[in-house]
Amino acid sequence: MKVEATEVESRKVYSVRAFNQGVATWLQRLPTVWVEGEVTELRRQARWASVFFTLKDPENGACLAVQMPRGQFDALRLDLVDGERVHVYGRPELFEQRGDFRLRALSIERYGLGGHLAALERLKQRLAAEGLFAAERKRALPRIPRLIGLVTGNDAAAKRDVLTAITNRFPPAHVLVAETYVQGPRAAVAMTTAISDLCARGADVVVLARGGGSFEDLLPFSDERLVRAVAACPVPVVSAVGHEQDTPLCDLAADVRASTPSVAARLVVPDLAELRLRLEHAHEALTRSVRRNWDRHAHRVEIAHGRLRRAPLLALERKRGRLETSYARLRALSPKATLERGYAIVRVGDGIVRRPPPAGTSLAVDVAEGAFAARAE
């Protein structure tokens, strides 16, 4: 935009609007830059389209106004507070209407964040190469744990969330709480020791829980000592650290990752009401199965009983038939039956005549209806 001046008594005179436009146009040609300072006077309102704060030089108190679109600021999820030291990436600009000079922010990082991120990425790659994050190492959670170990802060809302959710979901559950540091330089070692102690006291699943926090607050959960302790834990570990978008390295080493502490509670214990309903359904199915089997076997017994009542009669009839057959055979073979067909039995004394006797021999002759004497001639 070309800024026009007015000739007044041989002078080029700019209006305030024209001057501000000219400066604003010139500032737009400047490159984007990183500026370091402390956050002060942070102002954010839901109805505002932008977030405003002041960058203060901690050495000499010099100040720089900063403005950033609210959507971009919220997406960073930095939860900045006054006094924090940051690096702001942006472009200088002039608000023409009021002549306010400021830095229009495009990104914000906490001081030193870049170095931390690079170090964490190197650690992540090294541990991944060792297999600490491998899917085949993940273990299934116990269906109904005997003792749940909970590692959390001593005044943490995460502890309350986990215990409340477990109690509501499965009242008989036994939970052993290890309250320890969950942020700061002593946290990693303290949590590592707590995990070991809980396992020694019989926990068959361990929940590592902490609510949301800043990047620095969650750094202990990416400490190599804690990550290795989680991977080497003899029982399954559920990591419930920060919010869903937070991914400390202990999440990758744990057997199960929960987006929130409350979700972790739902993962480690079953729903008692659901178990009771399933038990009722199983009981009803078993009752129906037993009733069907009983009816089937009762029917078989009834059929067998009828067969047993008929069996003696059938056996008697068979025996009677066999006896009659035997009787008929015996009767057909008896001498009396032979005599009735017209034959006779001739005896000499007590012997039966089988060949002609000498003439004059006295004979006894048996016929079907009697006997008589005879003499051979």
Side-chain angles (χ1 to χ4, degrees):
M1 177 185 294
K2 184 176 180 181
V3 179
E4 299 291 342
T6 303
E7 290 286 342
V8 179
E9 297 179 356
S10 301
R11 300 174 180 172
K12 286 188 176 181
V13 179
Y14 294 88
S15 66
V16 174
R17 178 174 178 272
F19 177 80
N20 285 353
Q21 284 181 343
V23 174
T25 301
W26 181 81
L27 289 176
Q28 289 175 3
R29 296 197 294 267
L30 296 179
T32 51
V33 294
W34 284 99
V35 182
E36 178 183 324
E38 291 181 355
V39 175
T40 62
E41 301 175 350
L42 179 65
R43 303 181 303 282
R44 179 191 180 281
Q45 296 291 338
R47 63 180 183 275
W48 291 356
S50 297
V51 175
F52 302 91
F53 61 92
T54 299
L55 272 184
K56 181 179 179 180
D57 192 314
E59 295 184 1
N60 55 30
C63 294
L64 173 63
V66 181
Q67 177 261 338
M68 187 175 196
R70 192 183 68 203
Q72 291 179 244
F73 182 86
D74 292 346
L76 295 175
R77 306 187 69 88
L78 292 174
D79 297 325
L80 293 178
V81 296
D82 284 1
E84 287 195 76
R85 196 167 183 177
V86 295
H87 285 176
V88 180
Y89 182 68
R91 182 187 302 278
E93 69 174 11
L94 185 72
F95 183 55
E96 298 176 18
Q97 187 65 29
R98 299 180 55 183
D100 292 338
F101 175 76
R102 62 195 175 194
L103 181 68
R104 183 177 182 84
L106 302 176
S107 182
I108 304 174
E109 291 182 2
R110 283 189 168 84
Y111 177 73
L113 180 60
H116 283 308
L117 288 175
L120 284 180
E121 184 61 29
R122 290 193 297 270
L123 176 60
K124 177 181 177 180
Q125 293 178 2
R126 179 159 55 85
L127 296 180
E130 294 181 26
L132 266 65
F133 307 149
E136 56 270 20
R137 297 186 66 259
K138 310 298 183 183
R139 296 162 292 183
L141 302 180
R143 184 70 182 89
I144 301 180
R146 297 184 303 272
L147 180 63
I148 302 167
L150 174 59
V151 179
T152 186
N154 57 6
D155 60 349
K159 178 180 69 174
R160 181 185 65 251
D161 292 344
V162 172
L163 294 178
T164 300
I166 287 178
T167 302
N168 292 338
R169 187 172 174 83
F170 193 73
H174 296 285
V175 183
L176 184 59
V177 180
E179 296 180 347
T180 184
Y181 296 107
V182 291
Q183 72 180 65
R186 300 163 64 181
V189 174
M191 288 187 286
T192 299
T193 303
I195 291 174
S196 177
D197 292 344
L198 289 173
C199 293
R201 296 178 67 177
D204 52 359
V205 62
V206 173
V207 177
L208 185 61
R210 175 200 163 109
S214 66
F215 176 82
E216 290 83 357
D217 292 340
L218 299 182
L219 277 177
F221 293 92
S222 294
D223 187 284
E224 182 175 357
R225 293 165 294 183
L226 178 62
V227 175
R228 290 190 179 279
V230 169
C233 184
V235 302
V237 176
V238 178
S239 178
V241 179
H243 299 295
E244 187 170 1
Q245 71 275 5
D246 298 318
T247 309
L249 297 186
C250 68
D251 276 4
L252 305 179
D255 297 280
V256 178
R257 190 241 178 184
S259 57
T260 65
S262 297
V263 172
R266 294 196 291 271
L267 291 173
V268 297
V269 293
D271 188 330
L272 184 58
E274 181 183 340
L275 285 180
R276 285 175 174 167
L277 182 61
R278 293 172 60 185
L279 182 60
E280 290 176 3
H281 290 166
H283 182 267
E284 293 172 358
L286 181 60
T287 300
R288 290 193 298 269
S289 177
V290 170
R291 186 177 293 114
R292 285 195 299 268
N293 288 336
W294 172 266
D295 293 342
R296 183 166 56 251
H297 288 298
H299 181 63
R300 290 177 179 175
V301 169
E302 184 177 352
I303 294 174
H305 181 65
R307 291 175 178 172
L308 288 175
R309 289 177 61 182
R310 294 192 299 270
L313 296 177
L314 293 174
L316 182 61
E317 291 296 330
R318 293 191 190 100
K319 289 182 179 179
R320 179 180 293 169
R322 287 196 294 268
L323 286 174
E324 290 177 351
T325 302
S326 299
Y327 174 73
R329 289 176 179 174
L330 290 174
R331 188 172 181 278
L333 296 175
S334 69
K336 184 174 178 60
T338 303
L339 296 176
E340 287 179 348
R341 292 199 299 272
Y343 292 93
I345 300 175
V346 181
R347 291 186 177 89
V348 177
D350 293 331
I352 296 175
V353 177
R354 289 184 170 82
R355 58 179 59 86
T361 303
S362 296
L363 305 171
V365 181
D366 292 335
V367 292
E369 297 182 3
F372 59 88
R375 183 182 299 279
E377 293 183 355

